Amino acid sequence: MCWHRGGDYSMQFCVFNANARLSVSGFVQIHVPHPGVARLRQSQACSIGEALTSESLYNNGQAAPWQVSGPFADHTIGKENVGQKMKSTCFLNGLIAAVIGPSLIAACGHDQDSCYGPQNNVEYVRQVKRMQPGAPNATYGPKGPLEWGQINFMHTTDTHGWLEGHLKQPNYGADWGDFVTFTRRMKQTAGNMGVDLLLVDTGDLHDGTGLSDATPEDGVLSMPIFDEVAFDLLTIGNHELYVSEVAYQMFNTWARKWGDRYVTSNVQIRNPATGAFEYVGATHRYFTTDKGLRVMAFGVLFDFTGNSNASRVIKAADMVKEAWFADALHTTQPVDLFVLFGHNAVSPRDKGSTLKTVWDAIRAVHPTTPVSLFGGHSHIRDFAVYDETSVGIEAGRYCETIGWVAMTGFDARNSGYKGIANPRGVPNPARPAKTNATSPFRYARRYLDWNRNTFIYHSHQQPGTYDYHSGSRVTGLITAAREKLRLGDVYGCAPQSWCMECAPFDSPQNLFPGVIVPAVSKIVVQPARADKARIILGNTGSVRYDVPKGPFTYDDNFIVSPFRDVFRYLKDVPYDKAQKLIRQLNNGRADKRSTLVSMAVPQDACTNPTAGHLGRREQHGGPVRRQEVVTPGYVTKDDWGTDGDDTNHTAVPFMRNPGYYEARAGFPAEGSPEVVDVVFYDFIEKYILQYLGSGFNASLVDCYIDCNFTSQDFLLPYAKAVWQDNINDCPIDGI
């Protein structure tokens, strides 16, 4: 284990050879700025890639040169490109100084006008083989082998930048490099069996972790890593469309690289060169699998309206009337299988999903052709049966789940299939989509936990033989990117675990009363109005993940609060009006920053597994399955029942939160103030003005603190102010 500690930007590092990865005994002093610092002199800008970047290295007072190398050498984080990703550490520490006093703050460099740097930073860098440093492995594995059919699918969705895996949650501890190896081993297995395997992703690749969001433009480092998996079909999510720069990144870079594999049937973007709207990717894809199946694929985003003006989302009901869609359905080429996939809840009962609209249009022309559906957006595990030849799966969120669907029933009479009828040595799909179905097609489905135990077991490997060089290389790229962005810097030691939805909203274990409300009460204060009573209102949908007990890092800040909603306010609002706002907001529409208002009510007893586990079990020789311990995790109920989870877990309770939370600060010890400042996210300004009524309009609204202080800027100073106990030896829950 190697702990990095910073002070005046002089950090103690365990030194590693960048190529051989061998530890060098002893420590050196190195002068390194934090990527969050915006006001740096040019000479202070630096980067950390696979090796250290060009700056001065100090060892016992002697300077030695060192040079940048590695895949991220071109992405230096310095003063020019910090942008809007995080507030400068100068500002952050200014807040902390106001809260806990200036004694903990020291200036960086020697100039009087140089900015404050992160003090007493600790970086959590526990070294383990493969996965990511610090990531625990699962204690418990799959319940049995996967069924393999004639065509098989692996599905991912809503990865939201979680390519490093879950560093504090063993059920989901594998990283994208481990998954790269898994996909390649499973493709090889399919080839050896003589069957097809297709990899499908249904979007939302941004807004979730520091790996995707801490760069000046979202996805600069994470997207090349994501691209290491050779998906057969991909489509766009709403989180690729909020910010124009991200939308154009998908259009200019990734749509061109992925070609017709990137199917965006109802999403267009304005071409800056012509001013005309063009499809981001292909409208549809017709292709033949390795084993001869003729496939027609459509990729459909739900009827999203929160996109920037750079893009346009065509409603599904309008899309199915377009000429290209009619031509695709009436093609003279044979179609053995339709794949209908998209960033869309897979259940036809979900009111916000538009997959059923497109499925109905397909069925009007092709009443019996099989349709395989793949959904996303609602962040749940789900499996839906449309009819006896149409089933769909949704694979959760955040690199927690891989969806597996196997299908068989093709022959020379109904398809061009030329593969093996029933793969040998493995279970085969045996279940009809519906009881008493007359269709020849049989299916199997499984939800796989995202960890190395799962990957090793299902690829029939041993821990020592599992890794491919390609996967290990990607793991190294992730580690280098995290080091470059300083995502492991620890700002506090969370003394307990708080969850979003596993405890009632008023419980001490719930994240909102436990962390969010105290944090905004303490940190979100305009110094000039610190003596004024204030009510702070936020939408609970802006918070996206739990805070487990243990180190609270720079990365965790993005994970918990990935959106940058500016705090705005109205001053001197009569208290009798202001106090009603929380009730009015929660009785009205609960907007979420991610536009998840169309989410299905989770059909899963655990959409938010906690971090607890019992200790890593020892591996003996191979993919051993020992069932002594069942850990907390997903317990899924879908259209086929409760047997879909690949690993058995005990259920974690699910408690639905209200749409909004309220925090109060600066109130008198007794009685109520006559007027208060009403502070709120810019995202909900229209509702605040609507409920306050006459006499309140947008001209009275101003930025609170400043126009760059956002929902992503209060947790780090709170952690530095409140969670400093045990910071140098901070235990992770259960580890």
Side-chain angles (χ1 to χ4, degrees), residues 263-308:
V263 186
T264 62
S265 302
N266 66 327
V267 180
Q268 298 178 330
I269 192 166
R270 187 188 302 275
N271 188 325
T274 65
F277 278 96
E278 302 176 11
Y279 285 94
V280 177
T283 55
H284 58 292
R285 184 187 183 202
Y286 180 83
F287 65 102
T288 302
T289 68
D290 290 343
K291 302 306 174 186
L293 288 176
R294 286 79 58 100
V295 179
M296 179 72 78
F298 301 105
V300 184
L301 177 64
F302 71 97
D303 290 346
F304 177 52
T305 59
N307 49 304
S308 75

XYZ file of all heavy atoms in Angstrom, residues 263-308:
357
model
N -25.874 3.302 -34.310
C -27.203 3.460 -34.887
C -28.000 4.454 -34.042
O -28.279 4.205 -32.862
C -27.942 2.109 -34.964
C -29.273 2.267 -35.703
C -27.073 1.064 -35.667
N -28.328 5.586 -34.640
C -29.067 6.648 -33.941
C -30.288 7.010 -34.792
O -30.330 8.042 -35.443
C -28.175 7.879 -33.709
O -27.760 8.408 -34.969
C -26.933 7.510 -32.905
N -31.275 6.146 -34.765
C -32.386 6.225 -35.708
C -33.204 7.502 -35.603
O -33.836 7.903 -36.587
C -33.309 5.018 -35.514
O -32.611 3.799 -35.697
N -33.206 8.125 -34.436
C -34.044 9.325 -34.280
C -33.291 10.507 -33.680
O -33.903 11.406 -33.100
C -35.284 9.006 -33.433
C -34.944 8.649 -31.993
O -33.895 8.064 -31.719
N -35.839 8.989 -31.081
N -31.963 10.531 -33.829
C -31.168 11.632 -33.282
C -30.332 12.257 -34.391
O -29.566 11.562 -35.074
C -30.256 11.163 -32.132
C -29.449 12.339 -31.584
C -31.090 10.534 -31.021
N -30.481 13.550 -34.533
C -29.746 14.307 -35.541
C -28.940 15.410 -34.871
O -29.223 15.796 -33.733
C -30.709 14.927 -36.566
C -31.513 13.920 -37.350
C -32.490 14.590 -38.309
O -32.983 15.688 -38.057
N -32.782 13.927 -39.426
N -27.946 15.925 -35.607
C -27.118 17.013 -35.107
C -26.923 18.024 -36.227
O -26.883 17.664 -37.410
C -25.763 16.481 -34.583
C -25.002 17.538 -33.797
C -24.918 15.928 -35.726
C -23.851 16.990 -32.977
N -26.811 19.278 -35.825
C -26.615 20.321 -36.814
C -25.155 20.308 -37.273
O -24.238 20.471 -36.473
C -26.966 21.686 -36.228
C -26.955 22.822 -37.259
C -27.114 24.180 -36.574
N -28.337 24.259 -35.797
C -29.533 24.597 -36.300
N -29.644 24.885 -37.586
N -30.598 24.648 -35.521
N -24.965 20.136 -38.563
C -23.620 20.180 -39.128
C -23.165 21.628 -39.176
O -23.768 22.447 -39.873
C -23.617 19.568 -40.528
C -22.216 19.406 -41.081
O -21.336 20.226 -40.833
N -22.011 18.330 -41.833
N -22.114 21.994 -38.449
C -21.683 23.396 -38.436
C -21.291 23.920 -39.813
O -21.414 25.107 -40.090
C -20.476 23.392 -37.490
C -20.584 22.134 -36.712
C -21.266 21.150 -37.599
N -20.842 23.024 -40.668
C -20.386 23.457 -41.992
C -21.542 23.836 -42.908
O -21.429 24.754 -43.724
C -19.552 22.356 -42.635
N -22.673 23.126 -42.756
C -23.799 23.359 -43.663
C -25.010 23.981 -42.982
O -25.882 24.525 -43.657
C -24.231 22.033 -44.297
O -24.736 21.157 -43.268
C -23.067 21.360 -44.997
N -25.070 23.877 -41.651
C -26.245 24.353 -40.937
C -27.411 23.390 -40.987
O -28.436 23.621 -40.346
N -27.269 22.298 -41.733
C -28.348 21.326 -41.868
C -28.217 20.242 -40.801
O -27.119 19.932 -40.333
C -28.299 20.692 -43.252
N -29.352 19.660 -40.414
C -29.338 18.559 -39.465
C -29.026 17.256 -40.190
O -29.588 16.969 -41.251
C -30.676 18.458 -38.729
C -30.799 19.415 -37.573
C -31.429 20.641 -37.745
C -30.275 19.102 -36.334
C -31.543 21.531 -36.684
C -30.379 19.978 -35.267
C -31.008 21.199 -35.444
N -28.123 16.469 -39.588
C -27.759 15.163 -40.112
C -27.890 14.144 -38.984
O -27.779 14.487 -37.805
C -26.317 15.164 -40.625
C -26.015 16.177 -41.700
C -24.544 16.179 -42.083
O -23.823 15.242 -41.655
O -24.119 17.097 -42.796
N -28.088 12.897 -39.337
C -28.118 11.854 -38.313
C -26.722 11.711 -37.705
O -25.721 11.740 -38.417
C -28.588 10.531 -38.902
C -30.072 10.522 -39.159
C -30.590 10.861 -40.413
C -30.960 10.216 -38.130
C -31.953 10.874 -40.636
C -32.330 10.222 -38.351
C -32.820 10.563 -39.603
O -34.176 10.589 -39.811
N -26.680 11.569 -36.383
C -25.396 11.425 -35.708
C -24.689 10.170 -36.196
O -23.496 10.180 -36.534
C -25.583 11.377 -34.178
C -24.247 11.160 -33.483
C -26.245 12.644 -33.679
N -25.412 9.073 -36.228
C -24.883 7.813 -36.744
C -25.748 7.327 -37.885
O -26.354 8.122 -38.615
N -25.821 6.017 -38.051
C -26.660 5.428 -39.087
C -28.112 5.393 -38.622
O -28.390 5.283 -37.427
C -26.176 4.011 -39.401
N -29.044 5.467 -39.573
C -30.455 5.332 -39.209
C -30.786 3.893 -38.850
O -31.658 3.640 -38.003
C -31.362 5.792 -40.356
O -31.014 5.049 -41.547
C -31.217 7.276 -40.616
N -30.127 2.948 -39.485
C -30.356 1.534 -39.213
C -29.153 0.756 -39.718
O -28.286 1.293 -40.418
C -31.649 1.036 -39.876
C -31.678 1.214 -41.357
N -31.739 2.460 -41.979
C -31.630 0.307 -42.387
C -31.753 2.311 -43.286
N -31.670 1.022 -43.561
N -29.085 -0.491 -39.340
C -27.994 -1.332 -39.819
C -28.533 -2.686 -40.243
O -29.250 -3.345 -39.474
C -26.924 -1.524 -38.737
C -25.724 -2.316 -39.261
C -24.703 -2.677 -38.188
N -23.575 -3.362 -38.819
C -22.727 -4.168 -38.191
N -22.855 -4.362 -36.897
N -21.741 -4.747 -38.841
N -28.210 -3.067 -41.448
C -28.516 -4.410 -41.936
C -27.191 -5.148 -42.104
O -26.275 -4.656 -42.776
C -29.251 -4.349 -43.275
C -29.602 -5.704 -43.845
C -30.742 -6.383 -43.429
C -28.775 -6.316 -44.788
C -31.059 -7.638 -43.950
C -29.081 -7.566 -45.305
C -30.235 -8.229 -44.881
O -30.532 -9.468 -45.382
N -27.065 -6.295 -41.467
C -25.812 -7.038 -41.545
C -26.070 -8.536 -41.373
O -27.161 -8.952 -40.940
C -24.818 -6.546 -40.496
C -25.229 -6.780 -39.056
C -24.684 -7.815 -38.308
C -26.155 -5.942 -38.433
C -25.041 -8.029 -36.989
C -26.528 -6.142 -37.105
C -25.968 -7.184 -36.382
N -25.072 -9.305 -41.702
C -25.131 -10.751 -41.563
C -24.104 -11.179 -40.524
O -22.933 -10.773 -40.572
C -24.835 -11.453 -42.896
O -25.789 -11.011 -43.872
C -24.943 -12.958 -42.750
N -24.527 -11.980 -39.561
C -23.622 -12.442 -38.510
C -22.646 -13.473 -39.065
O -22.782 -13.979 -40.180
C -24.413 -13.069 -37.343
O -25.010 -14.304 -37.801
C -25.504 -12.130 -36.851
N -21.667 -13.819 -38.262
C -20.669 -14.803 -38.680
C -21.311 -16.128 -39.058
O -20.805 -16.848 -39.927
C -19.656 -15.035 -37.556
C -18.748 -13.847 -37.332
O -18.668 -12.970 -38.223
O -18.117 -13.778 -36.249
N -22.419 -16.463 -38.418
C -23.070 -17.749 -38.668
C -24.283 -17.629 -39.588
O -25.103 -18.539 -39.660
C -23.475 -18.410 -37.340
C -22.307 -18.633 -36.396
C -21.174 -19.405 -37.056
C -19.955 -19.514 -36.163
N -18.800 -20.136 -36.873
N -24.394 -16.489 -40.274
C -25.362 -16.396 -41.361
C -26.700 -15.766 -41.059
O -27.551 -15.687 -41.961
N -26.937 -15.306 -39.866
C -28.216 -14.664 -39.559
C -28.251 -13.269 -40.169
O -27.318 -12.482 -40.008
C -28.435 -14.589 -38.047
C -28.748 -15.909 -37.336
C -28.835 -15.697 -35.834
C -30.044 -16.532 -37.870
N -29.347 -12.927 -40.860
C -29.555 -11.615 -41.459
C -30.301 -10.746 -40.454
O -31.434 -11.078 -40.069
C -30.341 -11.738 -42.763
C -29.567 -12.283 -43.952
C -29.408 -13.812 -43.916
N -30.674 -14.517 -43.874
C -31.267 -15.078 -44.944
N -30.708 -15.036 -46.125
N -32.403 -15.750 -44.798
N -29.675 -9.658 -40.034
C -30.177 -8.844 -38.919
C -30.461 -7.422 -39.402
O -29.652 -6.830 -40.126
C -29.153 -8.798 -37.770
C -29.663 -7.923 -36.618
C -28.838 -10.202 -37.266
N -31.593 -6.872 -38.981
C -31.913 -5.463 -39.180
C -32.005 -4.811 -37.803
O -32.760 -5.274 -36.932
C -33.245 -5.299 -39.902
C -33.667 -3.844 -40.117
S -32.693 -2.995 -41.374
C -33.438 -3.661 -42.864
N -31.225 -3.750 -37.587
C -31.156 -3.112 -36.261
C -31.585 -1.650 -36.340
O -31.202 -0.925 -37.268
C -29.738 -3.206 -35.715
N -32.376 -1.227 -35.344
C -32.759 0.169 -35.151
C -32.345 0.593 -33.742
O -32.534 -0.164 -32.779
C -34.272 0.354 -35.290
C -34.828 -0.081 -36.623
C -35.535 -1.274 -36.741
C -34.641 0.691 -37.755
C -36.049 -1.683 -37.957
C -35.151 0.298 -38.985
C -35.859 -0.896 -39.090
N -31.795 1.824 -33.611
C -31.389 2.354 -32.313
C -32.165 3.615 -31.985
O -32.009 4.638 -32.670
N -32.991 3.568 -30.940
C -33.978 4.619 -30.700
C -33.838 5.197 -29.294
O -33.945 4.473 -28.296
C -35.414 4.078 -30.901
C -36.435 5.204 -30.736
C -35.553 3.429 -32.273
N -33.624 6.498 -29.207
C -33.627 7.230 -27.943
C -35.065 7.586 -27.562
O -35.893 7.872 -28.432
C -32.792 8.505 -28.088
C -32.709 9.463 -26.889
C -32.021 8.795 -25.707
C -31.974 10.739 -27.286
N -35.365 7.566 -26.276
C -36.697 8.002 -25.835
C -36.939 9.451 -26.261
O -36.029 10.147 -26.706
C -36.853 7.834 -24.321
C -36.053 8.797 -23.483
C -36.626 9.956 -22.966
C -34.712 8.554 -23.183
C -35.901 10.845 -22.188
C -33.971 9.434 -22.407
C -34.564 10.586 -21.920
N -38.151 9.930 -26.138
C -38.512 11.270 -26.613
C -37.931 12.340 -25.694
O -38.628 13.015 -24.937
C -40.032 11.411 -26.696
C -40.637 10.579 -27.814
O -39.872 10.106 -28.675
O -41.870 10.391 -27.828
N -36.628 12.499 -25.786
C -35.860 13.401 -24.927
C -36.001 14.843 -25.416
O -35.927 15.115 -26.616
C -34.401 12.956 -24.957
C -33.442 13.802 -24.177
C -33.688 14.105 -22.841
C -32.274 14.271 -24.764
C -32.786 14.864 -22.117
C -31.372 15.023 -24.051
C -31.627 15.330 -22.717
N -36.182 15.770 -24.459
C -36.339 17.185 -24.821
C -35.322 18.092 -24.146
O -35.360 19.303 -24.332
C -37.758 17.677 -24.454
O -37.965 17.508 -23.037
C -38.826 16.906 -25.224
N -34.389 17.527 -23.377
C -33.440 18.351 -22.633
C -32.115 18.569 -23.346
O -31.157 19.025 -22.730
N -32.051 18.260 -24.633
C -30.804 18.393 -25.379
C -30.497 19.850 -25.708
O -31.388 20.710 -25.713
C -30.887 17.584 -26.678
C -32.156 17.847 -27.459
O -33.265 17.692 -26.931
N -32.026 18.229 -28.714
N -29.227 20.128 -25.997
C -28.842 21.465 -26.438
C -29.367 21.697 -27.853
O -29.811 20.762 -28.537
C -27.319 21.623 -26.414
O -26.736 20.938 -27.507
